[in-house]
Amino acid sequence: MGLAEALHPGLITALQQVADPDLELYLVGGALRDALLHRLHRDPWRGLPDIDLLVQYRDPGVDPASAEPAAHALAQRLLAQHGSGAVRCQFHHAYGTVELEWQGVWIDLATARHEHYPRPAQNPQVRPGRLEDDLARRDFSVNAMALPLRDLQEQAVVDPYGGLEDLAARQLRLLHAHSLRDDPTRALRAARYAARLGFALEPSSLAQLRGTLQSWPWSWKPGDPPDQAPPALSTRLRMELELLLEREPWAAALNQLQQWGALVLLEQGLQRDATWQRRLRWAARLGLSPLPALLMGANDPVALAQRLQLPHREQQLLQRSSLLLRQLQKQAAAAALPQTAAAWTEQLETGADAPQVVKLVLVAASHPQPPWRRPLLRWLLHWRLLVAPVTAKMLLEQGYRPGPALGAALKKARAEHLASEKC
């Protein structure tokens, strides 16, 4: 695939028409990187071909702080002249960006900007800038290249950080000495790219990664209140982790992170965890979300879920699963596990999410096989589906009245039915 094929042919023409004469437009980021690798770049969540475009005013004398964001100006012209091809469009005024789905292509239009990290792992401060500023804020050299749209055929790539050389060497090179101190989520992006593209982390970048993790330059430290973690150690880290688990070759990516020592960004327990791959494969079989399954290998899954700001439902699932797992471990140690199907059912059926809780406990203790594994599987696949041999209607006909007594009678009838099941 050539560079011309990396863009929708009609999109090239439409953008070139509306970009002249006062706007400069560049193909950047993953779209350019993948085109140079003869790959089609796709948005990881939508699956659509994904084009990253950078826009700036051609006249360097234009003050970008006072002018309309260049990406907004371009998007408005595109919509005015070719709006019939647009499916959806969203302007982000705080960053001067536009997200646009146009004729089956997802387009990210960004105004050139400069970023500064006031403190490590915090969100950056953003202000308008030029092309060189925008390339300097990126993560790896292979993503810090630009191709002027007018030179698409000439392939005059702007490459200030040696990205073309690193593409040829199939390696990922961090741009700056403090890249990971500023944004530790770049470690997860490195693992995602390495797994997807088959690249290796360049030696000096690997040294920076390990040195940064060892020095831990961030204000938040393990053991501090989870809600005080900065964004790149909480919400942004979770977003990268979700992408890794749901849209990438996760086994290769997590293996890279563990080899680099980078799972300590999540928790030291996960860095030492040798069973994450088995848990995630069992989670897929049982229809569980991969992130809670991964976190069940942590020393404190609930605290880690709180720091990553998982949805409340998943935090509750981890809390209930951890509680049940500890309960089963104590019962096993005291030789006090339930001995009948009815007793198991009474212990496990504690809420509407009981099947999910039991599945997560099964995933968390898949090896070595604990003594409660078989009863939990039998409850999940059979016992919980058994109903009382009598119905409420039948009991009402026998003289019962609606109320607690009716419910107790149905529960007793189901327990008697479960008593015939082998445990």
Side-chain angles (χ1 to χ4, degrees):
M1 176 185 295
L3 289 175
E5 289 77 15
L7 289 172
H8 189 292
L11 177 61
I12 297 175
T13 302
L15 289 171
Q16 288 174 333
Q17 288 175 351
V18 299
D20 290 334
D22 53 342
L23 296 174
E24 291 182 331
L25 186 59
Y26 298 87
L27 178 65
V28 294
L32 177 55
R33 178 201 66 221
D34 286 359
L36 291 167
L37 291 171
H38 307 289
R39 298 166 59 101
L40 179 63
H41 186 64
R42 291 185 179 275
D43 178 86
W45 293 112
R46 302 171 185 87
L48 295 173
D50 186 11
I51 305 299
D52 300 308
L53 297 168
L54 185 72
V55 194
Q56 69 177 11
Y57 286 101
R58 189 180 305 277
D59 182 0
V62 174
D63 180 9
S66 59
E68 178 186 25
H72 290 189
L74 179 66
Q76 288 167 354
R77 293 184 186 184
L78 180 65
L79 292 172
Q81 297 185 31
H82 305 279
S84 60
V87 176
R88 70 186 80 176
C89 182
Q90 185 171 5
F91 288 75
H92 298 280
H93 297 280
Y95 295 100
T97 60
V98 182
E99 292 180 322
L100 174 67
E101 184 180 342
W102 193 84
Q103 295 189 0
V105 181
W106 188 261
I107 307 168
D108 288 292
L109 284 170
T111 305
R113 60 191 189 267
H114 175 274
E115 287 182 353
H116 168 67
Y117 289 85
R119 285 190 297 273
Q122 295 286 348
N123 285 328
Q125 294 177 349
V126 177
R127 60 178 173 80
R130 301 292 295 175
L131 172 65
E132 56 271 20
D133 300 315
D134 204 278
L135 295 182
R137 71 180 182 82
R138 295 174 181 266
D139 45 16
F140 302 101
S141 63
V142 296
N143 292 333
M145 299 181 287
L147 179 68
L149 198 62
R150 66 178 184 276
D151 294 333
L152 195 60
Q153 299 302 327
E154 288 76 5
Q155 301 188 14
V157 177
V158 179
D159 181 21
Y161 298 100
L164 289 171
E165 183 177 346
D166 287 331
L167 274 184
R170 304 188 69 79
Q171 65 182 10
L172 299 167
R173 181 190 303 273
L174 291 162
L175 292 196
H176 309 294
H178 299 302
S179 288
L180 287 166
R181 182 199 66 178
D182 289 342
D183 185 359
T185 65
R186 286 170 174 155
L188 271 70
R189 287 202 291 281
R192 291 201 293 112
Y193 297 150
R196 187 199 316 161
L197 303 173
F199 280 25
L201 194 56
E202 180 269 334
S204 68
S205 298
L206 179 56
Q208 180 188 151
L209 171 59
R210 288 176 171 163
T212 303
L213 292 172
Q214 185 175 9
S215 65
W216 198 268
W218 306 293
S219 59
W220 184 92
K221 292 180 172 54
D224 290 345
D227 60 354
Q228 294 182 10
L233 289 173
S234 57
T235 51
R236 282 170 36 212
L237 188 63
R238 185 204 71 236
M239 293 167 66
E240 284 291 336
L241 195 55
E242 288 173 339
L243 270 176
L244 184 154
L245 290 171
E246 298 181 26
R247 293 294 185 270
E248 304 285 6
W250 55 263
L254 287 175
N255 187 57
Q256 283 283 20
L257 285 170
Q258 197 163 43
Q259 288 183 9
W260 297 338
L263 285 180
V264 296
L265 286 170
L266 300 174
E267 195 199 69
Q268 187 64 249
L270 283 176
Q271 177 60 39
R272 295 191 296 263
D273 179 25
T275 62
W276 55 263
Q277 188 161 173
R278 184 180 293 108
R279 284 201 312 281
L280 289 174
R281 295 198 186 282
W282 266 102
R285 292 175 188 173
L286 294 174
L288 286 173
S289 173
L291 186 50
L294 176 66
L295 266 52
M296 281 299 286
N299 294 330
D300 190 341
V302 177
L304 181 53
Q306 291 172 347
R307 169 159 69 93
L308 297 178
Q309 298 182 27
L310 266 66
H312 180 72
R313 176 180 54 81
E314 292 190 346
Q315 291 190 35
Q316 289 292 103
L317 174 62
L318 280 162
Q319 187 171 33
R320 284 170 46 76
S321 300
S322 298
L323 182 63
L324 176 59
L325 181 58
R326 288 195 298 270
Q327 183 183 23
L328 292 171
Q329 289 169 337
K330 289 179 180 179
Q331 288 176 315
L337 288 169
Q339 298 300 308
T340 67
W344 275 110
T345 298
E346 184 176 2
Q347 177 169 331
L348 298 177
E349 292 183 357
T350 57
D353 63 344
Q356 297 298 97
V357 170
V358 169
K359 287 179 182 181
L360 197 51
V361 170
L362 286 166
V363 164
S366 60
H367 184 80
Q369 291 195 9
W372 61 79
R373 181 172 179 78
R374 184 179 294 274
L376 261 61
L377 280 170
R378 288 185 65 80
W379 176 84
L380 184 66
L381 300 175
H382 180 55
W383 294 339
R384 73 183 178 95
L385 305 177
L386 295 178
V387 297
V390 295
T391 65
K393 181 180 179 181
M394 294 168 61
L395 291 177
L396 289 171
E397 291 173 350
Q398 294 175 19
Y400 280 87
R401 292 185 177 183
L406 178 64
L410 285 170
K411 184 177 180 180
K412 180 181 178 182
R414 183 170 180 244
E416 291 172 351
H417 186 34
L418 284 165
S420 63
E421 292 288 319
K422 290 183 179 180
C423 183

